[in-house]
Amino acid sequence: MTSKPKLHKGKYSKDQRGIIYHNNNFDFEQITRGYLIENENVSVKRGWKGHLIEKRWFLCTRGMVTLSVISIESLQNKVDDSFDYELSDSNFDILEVPAGYATLIQQKVDDSRILCFSDYHLNTSNDENLRWPQNHLEI
């Protein structure tokens, strides 16, 4: 595994007309599909879900979410070296999670949403069934 998760920092511009949120240095070229996740409430933890082949990108479009990220190797060996990333709708940060990692998503505010992107079309990589229970790392 050569890549590590990377946070692409967003920015905003404001004038008398309002605010434009942007991430002008982010390249969308690798993205082939997108989907939106909205958990039922703040107590729901969605994950652990991993990908050996696919890369993912995450952007909070409403509210605030915590994305926990861990290498699949660490997760399988129950070594908790996960990192937490806070994403919020008050910026346009995009978290890039390379292949070889798993994620766990939890809303910090009710009705939060996270937009997810992938570099593979659905059902083309055979990389969709790597799942662990959310309490997998608890001893």
Side-chain angles (χ1 to χ4, degrees):
M1 188 173 7
T2 58
S3 300
K4 295 201 178 286
K6 178 181 179 181
L7 188 64
H8 301 269
K9 295 295 285 177
K11 298 181 181 178
Y12 69 89
S13 301
K14 183 177 181 178
D15 64 17
Q16 70 280 3
R17 298 168 293 172
I19 301 173
I20 296 176
Y21 295 91
H22 54 87
N23 203 317
N24 292 334
N25 295 321
F26 181 76
D27 184 359
F28 285 84
E29 186 175 311
Q30 296 179 58
I31 294 170
T32 60
R33 69 181 172 99
Y35 53 96
L36 197 60
I37 294 174
E38 183 177 328
N39 287 345
E40 183 66 27
N41 56 54
V42 295
S43 66
V44 172
K45 294 180 181 179
R46 185 180 294 263
W48 291 99
K49 173 89 164 101
H51 296 278
L52 292 171
I53 298 169
E54 296 183 28
K55 185 186 287 190
R56 294 280 196 262
W57 295 266
F58 299 90
L59 168 67
C60 183
T61 60
R62 185 169 68 196
M64 180 182 290
V65 297
T66 298
L67 243 107
S68 300
V69 181
I70 190 171
S71 72
I72 290 173
E73 180 181 343
S74 293
L75 188 60
Q76 288 173 330
N77 294 321
K78 294 191 175 188
V79 176
D80 189 355
D81 62 355
S82 63
F83 291 92
D84 291 340
Y85 296 89
E86 298 286 331
L87 299 179
S88 165
D89 64 3
S90 66
N91 56 50
F92 210 70
D93 292 350
I94 300 171
L95 178 62
E96 179 178 334
V97 179
Y101 284 86
T103 58
L104 183 137
I105 301 167
Q106 184 174 17
Q107 294 179 175
K108 303 311 280 182
V109 178
D110 282 329
D111 299 321
S112 295
R113 284 187 179 164
I114 189 160
L115 182 57
C116 310
F117 300 106
S118 175
D119 60 345
Y120 279 81
H121 291 287
L122 193 61
N123 300 320
T124 59
S125 71
N126 295 321
D127 199 21
E128 290 297 316
N129 295 314
L130 296 173
R131 296 177 189 272
W132 297 264
Q134 66 187 30
N135 63 351
H136 182 72
L137 295 175
E138 296 172 9
I139 298 174

